[in-house]
Amino acid sequence: EDKVVQSPLSLVVHEGDTVTLNCSYEVTNFRSLLWYKQEKKAPTFLFMLTSSGIEKKSGRLSSILDKKELFSILNITATQTGDSAVYLCAVEARGNNDMRFGAGTRLTVKP
Amino acid sequence: DGGITQSPKYLFRKEGQNVTLSCEQNLNHDAMYWYRQDPGQGLRLIYYSQIVNDFQKGDIAEGYSVSREKKESFPLTVTSAQKNPTAFYLCASSNPFNPRSGNTIYFGEGSWLTVV
């Protein structure tokens, strides 16, 4: 059965810290892995990863995919209180549009 | 502006009543989805539709029904058969046949359903 597992489920850090969020998956015919940030309501798109070893960056956020080991990490450097959110990982399989989400990692950044 | 509109944002329902959540998109996306989110949990797929007049059950379809009569609309009905309907419901859409965007999903703002 396809599944997506995120860790840790919850993380509390102080401003300026660097965090790494993990996402492992088991999906038949993997097509892409996506990261979303969810604050109060709807998730907002961060990254889409399809190839191993190619880092995607956006400001202080970066992500990379390892298709051999079946996981991805999301890094946030120099965290700010505005980074506090639930970060969701989702995996899509080819020919099957039921995008699978992990349970999310709740990140709290304290001043 | 293009986007996904869900309504209502907040809804209260009495036990035993059916309720329909609306989802409309003007992004010209082929695929649409309904997810349910409970506190401390990730998004769980209820139903999805890849094309008009076609839809598939997700992981937790029991107690729900959908229709896809128009490309831009994908309403979700929460029936009285759904035992624990109180949750946050998210509608989403994507264009999986676009080679540039892949299957990036775009979400609506969500609907809070509370059974009283």
Side-chain angles (χ1 to χ4, degrees), chain B residues 11-12 17 19 22 33-34 44-46 48 97-98 102 106:
Chain B
L11 185 63
F12 295 88
Q17 287 182 336
V19 63
S22 168
Y33 314 78
W34 274 106
R44 291 185 292 167
L45 183 66
I46 304 173
Y48 66 101
F97 307 112
N98 183 331
Y106 298 85

Side-chain angles (χ1 to χ4, degrees), chain A residues 9-93:
Chain A
L9 292 180
S10 180
L11 188 58
V12 180
V13 300
H14 289 94
E15 275 192 314
D17 288 348
T18 294
V19 298
T20 298
L21 310 182
N22 304 296
C23 176
S24 64
Y25 63 90
E26 292 178 24
V27 171
T28 304
N29 295 324
F30 172 89
R31 176 178 174 180
S32 65
L33 184 145
L34 296 92
W35 284 97
Y36 288 86
K37 177 182 181 181
Q38 185 177 24
E39 294 179 84
K40 293 182 179 178
K41 291 185 178 178
T44 53
F45 172 76
L46 294 175
F47 299 110
M48 183 176 75
L49 304 160
T50 56
S51 302
S52 279
I54 299 175
E55 185 183 46
K56 296 262 181 118
K57 286 182 69 73
S58 177
R60 295 176 293 102
L61 276 66
S62 63
S63 183
I64 198 162
L65 174 68
D66 186 329
K67 289 167 72 173
K68 181 179 178 183
E69 299 298 330
L70 308 182
F71 79 88
S72 173
I73 59 172
L74 175 68
N75 279 326
I76 308 175
T77 59
T79 52
Q80 302 171 357
T81 55
D83 294 328
S84 296
V86 173
Y87 290 85
L88 294 165
C89 172
V91 176
E92 180 207 0

Side-chain angles (χ1 to χ4, degrees), chain A residues 31-32 34 36 38 40-45 48 86 88 92 95-104 106, chain B residues 9-10 31 33 35 37 40-43 45 48 50 59 88 90 96 98 100-105 107-109:
Chain A
R31 176 178 174 180
S32 65
L34 296 92
Y36 288 86
Q38 185 177 24
K40 293 182 179 178
K41 291 185 178 178
T44 53
F45 172 76
M48 183 176 75
V86 173
L88 294 165
E92 180 207 0
N96 190 3
N97 280 337
D98 62 342
M99 187 81 69
R100 298 238 166 213
F101 282 82
R106 180 173 293 280
Chain B
K9 284 187 168 53
Y10 299 95
Y33 314 78
Y35 291 91
Q37 188 172 34
Q41 296 193 35
L43 303 180
L45 183 66
Y48 66 101
Q50 298 185 56
D59 296 322
F88 183 53
L90 278 165
N98 183 331
R100 291 178 65 187
S101 68
N103 204 15
T104 305
I105 283 187
F107 290 89
E109 288 295 302

